[in-house]
Amino acid sequence: MKDIIIKITLAAGLAALLQGCCLFKKYSDNTEVSDNLFEAVTDGPSIGELSWRELFSDTLLCGLIDSALANNTDLKVAELRVREADASLKSARLGYLPTLGISPSFNITPGQYYTAPINAEWGVQGFGSITNRLREAKVLALQATDNEKTVRSRLIAQVAQAYCHLLLLDRQKSIMQTTEKVWGDLLETQKALMENGRAYSTSVNQMKASLLGVQIQLKDLSKNIQEVEGAICLLLGSAPRTIERAGWKDFRLPEKLSTGVPALLLENRPDVKAAGHAVEAAYYVTNQARAAMFPSLNISGMLGWTSQGVALKDPASMIYSAVASLTLPIFAQGRLRANLKVSKYRQEEAARQYTQTILEAGDQVRTALRDCQTARDKDVIYKEQVATLLDAYDATVELMLCGKAMYIEVLTAENALLESQLNEAINLYEGHVGIINLYVALGGGTK
């Protein structure tokens, strides 16, 4: 009977050991990624592999980005979280070591009695718990680093986009100021024609109303410029101030853009890496929940001296003890199985989110590429349209001065030219925003 019990116990222990081997298996990524995330453009190195200093040639913009990287609050918080994760990792690496403590006690009366024991304890809370906890900490440290890179990349993009927005507003303001001057001169001409009986007061009032409308738009543009400058200062972590910037004349779209192959998307984008690390961390959390269902080993010991009027060097005054215990959970009100199920569900959630992150990354690249190409094509058309409308406007003014055209024709030509010039500027701005978005979508801004 005794032999049977021993055999059953050994068999149960061996079965538990074999089942527990899976707890030490490292995570392997089995996610399949489509090769058609976006259409590859391989005319040279991928734009995502460039440093932001290579992408942006404007020295004033580079200075703003430098200031943002040095002072931005969100980036500082992300850097602190990296340090927090590193501290947790260092703590997890010490998980295999025992705990030590000393607890001296003194009792002077009625006799000279005191103890000075040193306590030590070493425990394994579940088969493989420490190993999986350490692996989880390593993955979370990597994830924190990737999150910091994501914040860094997006910060660079935000500063660059806001800077481009300022250039757009400057360009719009310049167009409106030129229009204000031209329309003001035209209004004076129309007044002179009215005084000579060659124009009516209605035409003068109509032109004056149009001029006032331009002046209102100039006020709005000045306000918008101040708002964007304030937003940039928030990104820089500085007090509101005027942002120095280059002129619109240097604002051009590049002729070629290269994305590289879709695989580079996974290699460069920090948010994709962070999503993958989230799946890996969830895997090790699941292993910890599974390990809680296995036996836990705890060893504790104590070594010290006790004295009641004798010297500490007396061997008889030494006290020591050692206790080892093995605990196998049997019934814990269903908490262990529930924790395991919850961990598995969360691991599946993280895996689905990882797949979704990859799909969204591919969609961002496709969208940015489409925006860049569309803006480049429209830029050629807008330039031709502006030149055509400018010739038409000049000709209409000449006809009006000769009495061969009405003021309404001049106003129509003016509005068409103004709208085309503003649309050309907006299209150029959208093209640059598309380039910045493409850069971030391909993992740029992390170097």
Side-chain angles (χ1 to χ4, degrees), residues 25-31 279-280 283-284 347:
K25 184 179 179 182
K26 289 188 176 181
Y27 170 79
S28 59
D29 184 10
N30 298 321
T31 305
V279 182
E280 187 175 358
Y283 170 82
Y284 292 126
Q347 182 181 344

Side-chain angles (χ1 to χ4, degrees), residues 15-16 80 139 159 182 199 225 252 266 307 319 353 372 385 412-413:
L80 289 174
V139 173
V159 174
V182 172
I225 288 173
R252 295 292 182 269
L266 296 179
S307 179
I319 56 174
Q353 187 60 46
C372 292
Q385 184 185 49
T412 301

Side-chain angles (χ1 to χ4, degrees), residues 89 92-93 133-143:
L89 175 57
R93 283 173 174 163
R133 193 176 300 119
L134 175 58
R135 290 174 178 173
E136 179 197 4
K138 290 180 180 179
V139 173
L140 292 179
L142 294 174
Q143 185 185 43

Side-chain angles (χ1 to χ4, degrees), residues 62-368:
C62 290
L64 293 174
I65 294 175
D66 275 328
S67 180
L69 294 177
N71 303 307
N72 182 262
T73 301
D74 291 338
L75 185 58
K76 292 295 183 183
V77 171
E79 291 172 352
L80 289 174
R81 287 174 179 168
V82 172
R83 296 180 184 179
E84 292 174 7
D86 289 339
S88 299
L89 175 57
K90 291 179 181 178
S91 176
R93 283 173 174 163
L94 301 177
Y96 291 103
L97 300 179
T99 59
L100 294 173
I102 183 170
S103 53
S105 63
F106 302 90
N107 186 0
I108 299 177
T109 60
Q112 297 179 351
Y113 175 81
Y114 55 87
T115 61
I118 298 177
N119 301 311
E121 184 174 356
W122 183 79
V124 182
Q125 298 176 352
F127 194 62
S129 293
I130 298 178
T131 299
N132 284 285
R133 193 176 300 119
L134 175 58
R135 290 174 178 173
E136 179 197 4
K138 290 180 180 179
V139 173
L140 292 179
L142 294 174
Q143 185 185 43
T145 301
D146 290 330
N147 288 336
E148 186 268 338
K149 290 181 179 179
T150 300
V151 174
R152 173 188 172 90
S153 177
R154 290 176 180 173
L155 175 60
I156 292 173
Q158 288 173 337
V159 174
Q161 289 175 357
Y163 183 84
C164 291
H165 194 186
L166 270 184
L167 295 184
L168 169 65
L169 293 174
D170 287 343
R171 175 59 176 166
Q172 290 177 325
K173 187 174 181 179
S174 175
I175 293 172
M176 299 304 291
Q177 287 174 336
T178 301
T179 302
E180 180 187 28
K181 183 179 183 304
V182 172
W183 287 17
D185 294 340
L186 188 59
L187 176 61
E188 294 301 321
T189 301
Q190 194 71 4
K191 287 180 179 180
L193 291 174
M194 184 185 68
E195 291 174 357
N196 294 328
R198 298 173 58 187
Y200 298 99
S201 60
T202 52
S203 64
V204 174
N205 291 335
Q206 185 66 41
M207 286 189 174
K208 184 177 181 180
S210 298
L211 178 60
L212 293 174
V214 170
Q215 292 173 346
I216 291 174
Q217 292 184 59
L218 281 171
K219 296 295 182 182
D220 289 336
L221 286 171
S222 297
K223 182 191 73 170
N224 293 338
I225 288 173
Q226 291 180 353
E227 290 176 348
V228 175
E229 286 180 329
I232 292 178
C233 289
L234 287 177
L235 294 174
L236 303 182
S238 66
R241 60 180 175 87
T242 300
I243 301 298
E244 187 179 0
R245 49 199 180 269
W248 183 265
K249 61 181 180 180
D250 299 327
F251 206 49
R252 295 292 182 269
L253 290 172
E255 295 182 359
K256 293 182 178 180
L257 290 172
S258 178
T259 62
V261 295
L264 291 176
L265 185 66
L266 296 179
E267 296 176 1
N268 294 337
R269 281 194 59 150
D271 58 336
V272 173
K273 290 182 179 180
H277 288 144
V279 182
E280 187 175 358
Y283 170 82
Y284 292 126
V285 171
T286 301
N287 276 355
Q288 292 177 50
R290 187 178 287 111
M293 305 175 68
F294 285 83
S296 60
L297 175 65
N298 187 77
I299 300 174
S300 61
M302 184 268 292
L303 175 66
W305 288 266
T306 180
S307 179
Q308 189 172 9
V310 295
L312 291 179
K313 62 182 181 179
D314 185 359
S317 65
M318 294 183 61
I319 56 174
Y320 56 88
S321 65
V323 178
S325 62
L326 184 66
T327 304
L328 176 64
I330 297 176
F331 178 70
Q333 299 175 337
R335 289 194 301 269
L336 299 180
R337 291 189 177 277
N339 289 341
L340 180 58
K341 289 183 179 179
V342 170
S343 299
K344 288 181 178 179
Y345 292 147
R346 289 178 179 174
Q347 182 181 344
E348 184 177 353
E349 291 173 9
R352 292 181 181 276
Q353 187 60 46
Y354 177 45
T355 302
Q356 184 64 25
T357 301
I358 296 174
L359 295 176
E360 291 176 356
D363 182 68
Q364 290 170 8
V365 175
R366 289 196 305 272
T367 301

Side-chain angles (χ1 to χ4, degrees), residues 13-25:
L14 181 61
L17 181 61
L18 292 176
Q19 292 179 3
C21 289
C22 65
L23 300 178
F24 295 95
K25 184 179 179 182

